[in-house]
Amino acid sequence: IWIHGGPMRQMRLGWQPLHSYMLFYAFHQYLAERGYAALWVNYRGGIGYGRGWERGARAPVGMDAGGPVGRSGQGIVDCGDVVGGAAFLREQPFVDPERVGVWGLSWGGYLTLSALTRHPGTFAVGVNLAGMWDMELERPRETAAYSPKELGHRLRDPLYNLQGTADRNVSFKQMDAIVRDGVRHHLPFWTEY
């Protein structure tokens, strides 16, 4: 499962107008040539499906499988859409249900981290490309309940993290936090930067 960034973005069929998304589309073509199936999840909070869909991740919620979530469903409802995508893939006759992975860029990396910590065992592997582990490092006024780090001790699926040091949207402090917490909790993670 590929998760786009944003959240105010969407994946479209065919070549993408944004350069980075064009590269990811090309990479998915490469994966398809090698026999992999790819599902792009246009989760609630993204654009292109009307105002209700775009605002759907901001609806108030109280609890989910991972515990209390605060005043908004952002990071919860959209994560549920990703987990629902995994359930859909597992039902397909051409998919090995034990080998469903998830990966994403920026907000998609954050949702990858959220899916692995809120719903452990759902994915065989996760790849985080510059996602947020600790929301308070980027958005100090955000509640910690949105942060994957709050449930980081639940991570049991392999996690690969990649991040550059000059990212304009997500600071490298996120990678430092993942490493710190990963070592502290003896989590199954690897990093490249």
Side-chain angles (χ1 to χ4, degrees), residues 108-167:
Y110 162 69
L111 288 177
T112 296
L113 295 167
S114 292
L116 294 176
T117 57
R118 287 192 176 279
H119 304 275
T122 300
F123 295 99
V125 65
V127 179
N128 159 40
L129 304 172
M132 292 177 283
W133 176 254
D134 183 350
M135 291 291 279
E136 292 179 309
L137 292 175
E138 303 297 324
R139 302 173 179 185
R141 293 200 265 158
E142 292 286 340
T143 177
Y146 302 120
S147 294
K149 81 165 192 154
E150 295 302 315
L151 298 170
H153 63 280
R154 297 176 61 188
L155 181 71
R156 68 177 196 221
D157 309 305
L159 169 64
Y160 296 90
N161 299 282
L162 295 102
Q163 171 132 11
T165 56
D167 192 305

Side-chain angles (χ1 to χ4, degrees), residues 41-177:
V41 176
N42 282 316
Y43 51 83
R44 281 174 281 184
I47 61 171
Y49 298 97
R51 185 174 288 188
W53 187 260
E54 188 175 337
R55 294 182 178 175
R58 294 183 187 94
V61 293
M63 298 287 287
D64 84 332
V69 296
R71 70 184 189 283
S72 168
Q74 198 166 24
I76 309 304
V77 174
D78 40 5
C79 181
D81 293 338
V82 172
V83 170
F88 169 79
L89 276 179
R90 280 194 192 84
E91 295 172 357
Q92 305 311 306
F94 52 86
V95 173
D96 180 345
E98 300 299 316
R99 296 178 65 192
V100 176
V102 61
W103 70 309
L105 168 69
S106 194
W107 192 264
Y110 162 69
L111 288 177
T112 296
L113 295 167
S114 292
L116 294 176
T117 57
R118 287 192 176 279
H119 304 275
T122 300
F123 295 99
V125 65
V127 179
N128 159 40
L129 304 172
M132 292 177 283
W133 176 254
D134 183 350
M135 291 291 279
E136 292 179 309
L137 292 175
E138 303 297 324
R139 302 173 179 185
R141 293 200 265 158
E142 292 286 340
T143 177
Y146 302 120
S147 294
K149 81 165 192 154
E150 295 302 315
L151 298 170
H153 63 280
R154 297 176 61 188
L155 181 71
R156 68 177 196 221
D157 309 305
L159 169 64
Y160 296 90
N161 299 282
L162 295 102
Q163 171 132 11
T165 56
D167 192 305
R168 293 181 304 196
N169 298 313
V170 178
S171 74
F172 195 76
K173 293 184 287 187
Q174 296 293 340
M175 182 69 85
D176 291 338

